[in-house]
Every structure is written in C-alpha cells, then in structure tokens.
Amino acid sequence: MHRFKLTAVLMAAVLLGLLVACGSNKEPVQQEQTKATADKATRTITHLKGSTVIPAKINKVVVLSAAYIDHLLTIGEKPSGVNVEVRYGGDYLPYLASKLAGVPLVGTADSPNLEAIVQIAPDVILIESRTADKTYEQLQKIAPTIVLGNEWLAYESDTTFWTKDLLTIAEMYDKVDMAKAKIAQLEEKAVKVREKIKAMDNKKLAYLRVREKNLQLYAQNGHPTNVLLYHDLGFTPSALTPKDQRADLSLEKIPELQADYIVLEVDPNARDNRKNMNESALWKNNPAVLNNKMYETDSFWLFKGWGVIGRGEIIDEITKMIQ
C-alpha cells in the first residue's frame, strides 16, 4: 500500500514538471509572436534627424511643405492638415487647391499652428529641414516627425534629386512601386516634349522672376524647375543664364540675353515692378517679347518643380508655349 502511494506521488511530480516545462517553453514563442505583430504594426523611416518608428498604417498625416503635399497626392493619399502659403493669401497653394477641399490649415511651414495640429491628432508629421530648425522638438511631442529635404546646391550632378523625398514618403505608405511608376510616366511625357525642342532651331531660354524690387535670372542648376527646363526638356540656356546660382538682372542687360524664349514668373507683390518693365523700351524691344515668345507663368513654377503633379503641369505649359 505504501509502495503504491509513493509511486503515485512520483508520477504526479513528473507530470507537474512536464507542465511547468511546457509553460516555460511557450513563453519565448509568445514573445516572438508579440514582437512579430508589433513589427507588422510599425515601420522605421530614416530621415535627416535619424530613424523614426511610425505606424505601418497611417490614417492622418500633417504636412508642412508644398512639395510633400504634391508627393502625397501623387500616390493617392490626402493629408489631414497642410501649411498655408502667405504669398498666396494664406490659403492652399492654388495649383493643388481643388484636391485639398476641406483639409484643415495649420499655419505656415515656418510658424506652424501647434494647437491646430494637436486637434488633428496626426499619426505622422512631415516637415522640411528649415522647419525642423525651429519647431522639430515641439512637433515631435505631438507625433512622430519626419524631416525631409536637402541643403541647396548639394545635388552635384544628380538631376533626379527631387524624387528622393517622394520615394521616402511612398515608403511610409508601402507605395514605392506606384511612385516609381508615376515618375516613369512623367519622364515619358518629358521625352516627347524634349524631342520637339531638340528639333527646334531656336531654343535659347531665359527663366526670369519679377520680384517686388528687382528682376532675377534663374540658373541652369540648383532648383528642380531649372533642371526640368535645361536638362529634362533640353532648352539651351540664354547667353546670361548662370550655371549654379540665380542672379539679379538689370533692365540694361536685357538686350544681352539673346533668348528665343522668356519664361516670366511674377510674384504677387511685384505687379508695379512688372508694369514698369512693360513700359521700358529695353524690355519691349527684346526679340522674345517682339516675337511673342515671352510666356508669363502663374507664378507657381518654383513650387511645381518639386513634384510629379506640378512638373506635369509645367510640361503642359511648355508644350503650349512652343507650338
């Protein structure tokens, strides 16, 4: 009888040990499963401030850059809050306005409205490096903040630098393939116009900007709009077009441009300066003006050059200009 009780006790102890062992073996498995689930729920984005963990599924994003608004809309994503542009009356950038109906405005890129951003409760905030200098720490407390952009003139010979931020944003949404397809479609569109320009005998172009107090001549490099005109589309720079940095241009120098085409971007506060130019004989007697080859843009080209949507619109305008 005692021998039977001893055997039963021993069997119970062995059984208990097996149960404990099984339980301890399950714990690492459960931890691995939990980690795998967490990994699927987030992704890590590398940007100018390092690496930031963001939700794998973004429901709300606040954007403090016109270029990044273009990028989001290019991949079919609508922002939940956007910055305003002071020079256009503190509203949406006009060329994107129809696609942003109802989206809250959250101040400027330089001075974002933090309270308005808090009310949106975004999953992610997208900003440029210049914004980060002032408000990165504050924005980071509201939501994971991704800092994109590069320093001016740091692109060297890379003419596709404007696509880098688009591809990073596309990565956030797992839409890199879509972004690449959009870029390829834009390139096809540019090639068709480039072939037309290549066949032209007279294709010297000057890209001018009328500011409130002065007139500027844009360079061949440095800005994505310049690269689009002189590299992607193949216009020949005018005689005075600088290589890397824009330069002030006096009216006395206009005859030296020797431009077959002039693209004129006029700031909203520069109408008086524009009027004075029209009244100048130096301007009126310029060959591009006399031959009706002067094209005044909607003053958004400097914004449009950064994105697929904007660049497509510039190419459409160029197509009309050279007909």
Side-chain angles (χ1 to χ4, degrees):
M1 187 72 177
H2 290 289
R3 184 181 301 169
F4 176 79
K5 288 182 178 180
L6 180 60
T7 301
V9 170
L10 288 172
M11 290 180 65
V14 170
L15 180 61
L16 179 61
L18 288 171
L19 290 171
V20 170
C22 289
S24 62
N25 286 339
K26 284 181 180 179
E27 187 173 348
V29 174
Q30 289 173 342
Q31 289 175 347
E32 289 178 10
Q33 290 175 339
T34 301
K35 183 178 184 300
T37 301
D39 288 344
K40 289 180 181 178
T42 62
R43 71 175 85 241
T44 301
I45 299 296
T46 301
H47 58 104
L48 293 182
K49 286 289 186 179
S51 296
T52 297
V53 177
I54 65 171
K57 180 174 174 53
I58 301 171
N59 294 311
K60 295 180 180 180
V61 59
V62 166
V63 189
L64 299 178
S65 165
Y68 308 157
I69 299 170
D70 191 309
H71 294 339
L72 277 168
L73 295 172
T74 293
I75 59 172
E77 299 292 339
K78 189 173 182 177
S80 298
V82 296
N83 64 297
V84 301
E85 294 297 337
V86 174
R87 75 173 78 173
Y88 299 113
D91 206 338
Y92 302 129
L93 195 64
Y95 89 95
L96 297 173
S98 64
K99 301 177 179 68
L100 295 172
V103 175
L105 300 171
V106 293
T108 66
D110 292 329
S111 300
N113 184 333
L114 299 179
E115 291 183 4
I117 296 173
V118 168
Q119 289 179 358
I120 292 170
D123 301 305
V124 177
I125 301 171
L126 286 171
I127 64 174
E128 297 177 339
S129 55
R130 67 188 177 97
T131 305
D133 291 340
K134 297 181 179 180
T135 57
Y136 174 75
E137 297 299 333
Q138 294 168 294
L139 293 169
Q140 180 70 5
K141 292 176 182 177
I142 299 173
T145 302
I146 306 297
V147 185
L148 303 176
N150 291 287
E151 295 301 321
W152 287 103
L153 300 177
Y155 312 117
E156 298 181 349
S157 60
D158 182 6
T159 58
T160 65
F161 62 86
W162 67 272
T163 67
K164 296 185 184 303
D165 290 339
L166 167 57
L167 293 173
T168 298
I169 292 171
E171 180 188 351
M172 293 168 50
Y173 289 87
D174 198 20
K175 290 186 174 184
V176 172
D177 288 344
M178 178 189 287
K180 288 181 177 179
K182 295 288 187 179
I183 293 168
Q185 290 170 10
L186 181 69
E187 175 59 20
E188 289 179 11
K189 189 174 186 176
V191 166
K192 293 177 181 178
V193 178
R194 182 163 65 233
E195 290 303 314
K196 292 181 180 179
I197 293 173
K198 184 179 179 180
M200 291 165 33
D201 293 327
N202 303 311
K203 52 192 171 192
K204 288 184 180 179
L205 181 138
Y207 176 26
L208 303 176
R209 182 180 179 184
V210 185
R211 312 204 73 164
E212 184 178 11
K213 301 294 184 181
N214 62 325
L215 177 65
Q216 291 185 321
L217 176 61
Y218 273 81
Q220 302 171 44
N221 303 316
H223 191 284
T225 302
N226 305 345
V227 173
L228 173 62
L229 294 173
Y230 297 113
H231 178 272
D232 296 3
L233 298 181
F235 280 107
T236 301
S238 75
L240 297 181
T241 296
K243 183 177 179 183
D244 293 318
Q245 291 182 305
R246 64 189 178 190
D248 286 345
L249 183 70
S250 65
L251 282 177
E252 288 73 22
K253 285 282 187 178
I254 291 292
E256 298 178 31
L257 272 179
Q258 300 176 25
D260 303 306
Y261 291 90
I262 290 177
V263 172
L264 195 69
E265 183 158 335
V266 184
D267 285 359
N269 63 352
R271 293 298 165 185
D272 288 342
N273 193 13
R274 175 75 178 94
K275 182 180 177 183
N276 292 336
M277 286 174 55
N278 278 342
E279 294 172 353
S280 167
L282 292 170
W283 177 257
K284 288 189 293 186
N285 293 326
N286 182 273
V289 176
L290 287 172
N291 297 327
N292 199 28
K293 300 295 184 182
M294 194 283 297
Y295 184 80
E296 185 169 336
T297 76
D298 53 15
S299 81
F300 311 135
W301 276 27
L302 293 175
F303 289 99
K304 287 180 175 180
W306 287 99
V308 166
I309 298 171
R311 289 171 83 86
E313 292 192 6
I314 291 176
I315 292 172
D316 290 340
E317 293 179 58
I318 290 292
T319 302
K320 295 177 182 177
M321 186 182 82
I322 63 175
Q323 286 177 346

